[in-house]
Amino acid sequence: IRALSDESVKQNRPHKVLIMIEMGDLREGVMRDGLLDFYRQVFELPNITIVGIGTNLNCLHGVMPNADKLIQLSLYKQLIGLQFKKDIPWVSGGTTVTLPLLIRGDLPVGVNHFRIGEALYFGADLFTGGVIDGMRDDVFELYTEILEIQEKPMLPSGELGMDPMGHVLQVNPKLIGKSSYRAILDIGHLDVNPEYLIPKDDSIRIVDASSDMLIVDVGQNPSDLKVGDEVRFGLKYMGALGVMNSRYIEKRIFTPR
């Protein structure tokens, strides 16, 4: 913040900040026992205006928000106001994970600001794992292309070591001697973690991925897939994050249905 202050003075452009407080999830934020001293130092910086106090929950260790934590956050805002005779307009209660408290009417009155991402694009209710009423979770789709498809054994042959991702395959003896059709798709870990992909075709099962290729099992290929065909996936939140930041995937915006 000192660096921001120095630059804002050089440019003669005031800068606004919202200061985060550590409330248990151990990601970012000022420790509470040092809060007043921290605010005192920031209030002294030229061209810096504190417009909010906030916290982040659930994003690292999964600590869930509740009324007690958010009441504490609101009380810190009041404490700072009394100590420094300053009005801080925003109390930022968190991200998507806090929205169900608002919908249920359990949100403390003092909280008046959110930082919304996942709910905006996925309608996520992180308390139930479902979708918020009136919202959708299918606004993102990933289209991939089949580079190769052929029938192969369902288990590899030879001595097994660690793969490039650091995993050692656990052999399922029930698959010994069985085969199925496997397709290679034109994406890999470089673009997205396969754990965050949801096949749109229930007959398709993700096997695994290497750096730039995704392997899927299509059983006995009931859809008669061939090289060049498209395979579609829904995306979880972290999957969309990876895809949208990949340099190698073309992004298109379609008109909503």
Side-chain angles (χ1 to χ4, degrees):
I1 299 178
R2 288 194 182 97
L4 288 171
S5 174
D6 292 342
E7 186 62 29
S8 67
V9 169
K10 290 178 184 177
Q11 296 190 27
N12 192 28
R13 298 176 64 185
H15 191 80
K16 299 176 181 179
V17 298
L18 188 152
I19 296 175
M20 304 295 284
I21 300 176
E22 174 55 60
M23 296 290 288
D25 200 45
L26 301 181
R27 197 179 78 163
E28 81 274 15
V30 180
M31 297 303 293
R32 283 171 273 182
D33 55 3
L35 186 65
L36 292 179
D37 183 58
F38 190 93
Y39 269 81
R40 177 187 58 76
Q41 295 181 61
V42 176
F43 279 131
E44 294 173 354
L45 296 174
N47 274 22
I48 295 292
T49 301
I50 301 174
V51 296
I53 185 170
T55 192
N56 185 77
L57 296 166
N58 188 252
C59 284
L60 185 61
H61 291 296
V63 174
M64 301 298 283
N66 57 36
D68 287 342
K69 284 187 179 295
L70 297 178
I71 287 172
Q72 289 179 44
L73 184 66
S74 301
L75 290 175
Y76 282 122
K77 183 247 188 185
Q78 295 178 31
L79 179 62
I80 293 164
L82 291 171
Q83 180 77 17
F84 300 105
K85 303 298 187 290
K86 300 278 189 178
D87 179 50
I88 300 174
W90 302 115
V91 177
S92 190
T95 56
T96 288
V97 70
T98 315
L99 277 182
L101 297 181
L102 174 64
I103 295 170
R104 297 199 305 258
D106 294 334
L107 190 74
V109 174
V111 176
N112 58 8
H113 184 275
F114 292 92
R115 308 177 308 278
I116 301 302
E118 189 170 358
L120 182 63
Y121 294 105
F122 290 88
D125 182 333
L126 299 183
F127 274 82
T128 66
V131 178
I132 296 171
D133 286 346
M135 303 194 75
R136 301 178 60 150
D137 63 355
D138 62 349
V139 298
F140 285 99
E141 281 192 357
L142 174 63
Y143 290 73
T144 64
E145 185 177 340
I146 296 178
L147 304 178
E148 174 189 300
I149 183 167
Q150 57 182 308
E151 189 172 8
K152 291 186 177 182
M154 297 185 75
L155 289 177
S157 58
E159 183 178 350
L160 295 175
M162 189 176 293
D163 67 22
M165 307 305 152
H167 305 137
V168 177
L169 177 67
Q170 300 298 311
V171 173
N172 182 351
K174 294 181 180 179
L175 301 181
I176 294 174
K178 295 184 178 181
S179 65
S180 64
Y181 281 84
R182 287 192 169 201
I184 297 178
L185 308 180
D186 59 343
I187 60 168
H189 276 282
L190 188 63
D191 310 294
V192 62
N193 186 326
E195 293 180 3
Y196 304 131
L197 299 177
I198 306 169
K200 289 291 186 176
D201 185 336
D202 292 338
S203 68
I204 292 176
R205 179 180 64 87
I206 295 173
V207 176
D208 209 338
S210 60
S211 58
D212 59 351
M213 294 182 181
L214 180 72
I215 312 302
V216 296
D217 188 318
V218 299
Q220 295 307 305
N221 196 15
S223 300
D224 193 28
L225 295 170
K226 57 187 181 300
V227 171
D229 284 350
E230 287 183 339
V231 176
R232 297 161 50 229
F233 295 91
L235 292 166
K236 298 180 182 179
Y237 175 72
M238 295 303 293
L241 181 66
V243 166
M244 295 299 285
N245 283 280
S246 172
R247 296 172 55 192
Y248 308 105
I249 295 180
E250 180 183 0
K251 287 84 173 178
R252 299 178 183 177
I253 299 176
F254 294 91
T255 303
R257 292 189 297 274

